[in-house]
Amino acid sequence: MKEIICLGIESTAHTFGIGIITDKGKVLANASDSFKTEKGGLIPNELAKHHNEVKEKVLQDVLEKSKIKLNSIGLVSFSQGPGIQPALLVGLNFAKEIASKLKVPLVGVNHCCAHLEIGKLLTKAKDPVLLYASGANTQVIAYEAGKYRIFGETLDQGVGNFIDAFARYIGLGFPGGPKIEKLALQSKNYIELPYVVKGMDVSFSGILTNLKRKYDSKQFKIEDLCYSLQETVFAMLVEVSERAMAHTGKKELLLGGGVACNKRLQEMCSIMCKERNAKFYALPNEVLVDNGAQIAWLGVLQKNDATKEYDKIDIKPYERTDDVKVTWK
Ligand code: ATP
Ligand code: FE2
């Protein structure tokens, strides 16, 4: 059978990305451009404007990197949700434009499932628990009875948004995660913070208020606050991940999402896995953050759902991981 090459478009939030992958799972190229600010956060219409401005350039970039001609693409996929509506629409429309120009089928995929599937592809993990820690999402996910179930999640904001909110408060700009990580490396002085795990769920808003108050009091060093922030919230994430592994009897842990780039979080996960004789898989940053390759790969897995009736396809900004029926396993 002829090989199918899939082009996948990611645009759920700040990153506009395109990836190209073969149906055997060989990533041919990944290209992206992310919206960044020195101050302030994400504004939905500004994101859409950014994505519209960079989409053609990202397409050229990924085609050049992959050495593939556009007309060798046999399938197009895009991130259908969850995400920010104006940003998602840019991806949908660009995907429709490319698919209809090439007269190839189009399929919409779930962004969270895509994080998990690219992790499985690249690590050869068989049946892992996924700790998905990004800006907007924080979930512990595992497969059970036809669906990726959410075993634990944030009750308020995603861990990345929480970190970014504190970073913004102390004037570090967006994204705050890497800057907080750098500052945290300069301290080993733990300052007590609230530790909020409720059953299998976590919550960050109380910790954020506490951190802001401590910062305003001028009695603490920024490095110490950053260090304590990481130690506290990462311990919370590791605790709920471990509980999900114990509950499901699964022996593998995967990380996904931008916060998973954090070396301290990776280290804490790896220690936990070692202690319970489980395997921990670290992935390159490029596929931890939002990227087109993961969308392309889930497109391949869901190729039977693809259609040329483009009008029937829309975005799903509020789709939850456990709304998706896993038809591809
Ligand atoms: P999603 O749509 O999946 O919620 P997202 O739009 O938040 O994703 P990602 O690229 O997965 O995008 O994650 C971005 C987040 O990751 C930001 O909040 C950023 O601060 C955080 N981040 C990136 N690098 C690090 C790091 N080294 N340490 C901690 N957080 C990090
Ligand atoms: Fe993501």
Side-chain angles (χ1 to χ4, degrees):
M1 265 214 327
K2 198 176 158 276
E3 180 182 62
I4 299 173
I5 297 175
C6 181
L7 177 146
I9 301 180
E10 160 60 33
S11 76
T12 52
H14 56 86
T15 296
F16 188 86
I18 305 184
I20 298 181
I21 201 164
T22 69
D23 58 357
K24 300 279 179 314
K26 184 165 190 268
V27 179
L28 299 178
N30 219 351
S32 68
D33 191 310
S34 294
F35 179 81
K36 290 196 176 63
T37 59
E38 282 307 312
K39 277 208 156 63
L42 299 181
I43 299 163
N45 288 332
E46 280 187 20
L47 284 181
K49 189 166 164 259
H50 166 267
H51 294 352
N52 268 318
E53 280 167 8
V54 303
K55 63 187 184 191
E56 293 290 349
K57 186 199 76 181
V58 175
L59 178 62
Q60 287 318 315
D61 201 14
V62 79
L63 290 172
E64 258 165 49
K65 279 187 185 164
S66 66
K67 303 191 173 64
I68 288 280
K69 292 244 177 339
L70 189 61
N71 60 15
S72 331
I73 301 292
L75 175 67
V76 176
S77 63
F78 74 102
S79 221
Q80 211 163 17
I84 300 168
Q85 195 153 348
L88 285 169
L89 284 173
V90 180
L92 168 79
N93 291 330
F94 201 43
K96 281 186 179 175
E97 191 185 311
I98 297 172
S100 59
K101 187 162 132 192
L102 298 174
K103 300 191 177 58
V104 300
L106 175 66
V107 60
V109 305
N110 177 278
H111 176 91
C112 306
C113 294
H115 274 291
L116 206 145
E117 291 298 347
I118 194 81
K120 275 169 60 187
L121 171 74
L122 298 178
T123 61
K124 309 267 186 294
K126 288 191 185 67
D127 185 19
V129 167
L130 172 74
L131 168 58
Y132 174 30
S134 70
N137 294 288
T138 299
Q139 301 179 331
V140 178
I141 303 169
Y143 182 76
E144 219 170 69
K147 282 188 172 174
Y148 283 119
R149 314 254 168 206
I150 301 173
F151 285 86
E153 65 186 315
T154 175
L155 297 171
D156 39 47
Q157 57 201 319
V159 60
N161 285 358
F162 152 79
I163 294 175
D164 294 335
F166 183 61
R168 190 159 66 238
Y169 195 75
I170 64 176
L172 295 179
F174 178 86
K179 293 173 186 165
I180 299 266
E181 180 177 23
K182 243 192 199 155
L183 288 165
L185 281 172
Q186 295 164 31
S187 164
K188 281 260 175 259
N189 182 24
Y190 184 74
I191 294 160
E192 186 98 16
L193 292 173
Y195 183 95
V196 195
V197 174
K198 297 177 184 171
M200 298 287 275
D201 297 325
V202 292
S203 154
F204 301 108
S205 57
I207 308 176
L208 181 60
T209 309
N210 189 290
L211 276 165
K212 286 178 174 173
R213 211 174 288 145
K214 286 197 165 78
Y215 174 77
D216 289 341
S217 77
K218 300 199 168 62
Q219 291 183 7
F220 301 93
K221 280 172 66 183
I222 297 229
E223 293 82 356
D224 294 347
L225 291 178
C226 293
Y227 171 73
S228 310
L229 174 157
Q230 288 199 166
E231 293 302 302
T232 306
V233 303
F234 294 167
M236 288 161 44
L237 297 178
V238 171
E239 182 187 330
V240 291
S241 305
E242 178 167 28
R243 211 168 302 144
M245 292 171 82
H247 177 78
T248 56
K250 296 193 196 286
K251 288 278 185 201
E252 299 168 308
L253 179 66
L254 258 182
L255 278 181
V259 181
C261 299
N262 189 291
K263 289 285 176 281
R264 178 60 182 147
L265 176 60
Q266 294 184 4
E267 181 184 41
M268 287 166 81
C269 289
S270 141
I271 293 168
M272 179 271 278
C273 286
K274 211 172 265 163
E275 280 171 0
R276 46 181 306 116
N277 245 335
K279 268 198 176 150
F280 169 67
Y281 296 102
L283 285 161
N285 285 1
E286 184 198 354
V287 284
L288 287 174
V289 300
D290 288 351
N291 66 89
Q294 65 182 19
I295 303 307
W297 178 234
L298 189 47
V300 168
L301 296 177
Q302 285 191 255
K303 61 178 180 294
N304 292 339
D305 300 327
T307 174
K308 288 186 187 172
E309 291 180 81
Y310 309 123
D311 291 347
K312 292 203 171 140
I313 304 181
D314 205 350
I315 56 170
K316 295 181 179 170
Y318 302 105
E319 184 175 65
R320 279 173 59 86
T321 312
D322 48 8
D323 289 335
V324 181
K325 200 158 170 261
V326 178
T327 51
W328 59 88
K329 268 180 84 95

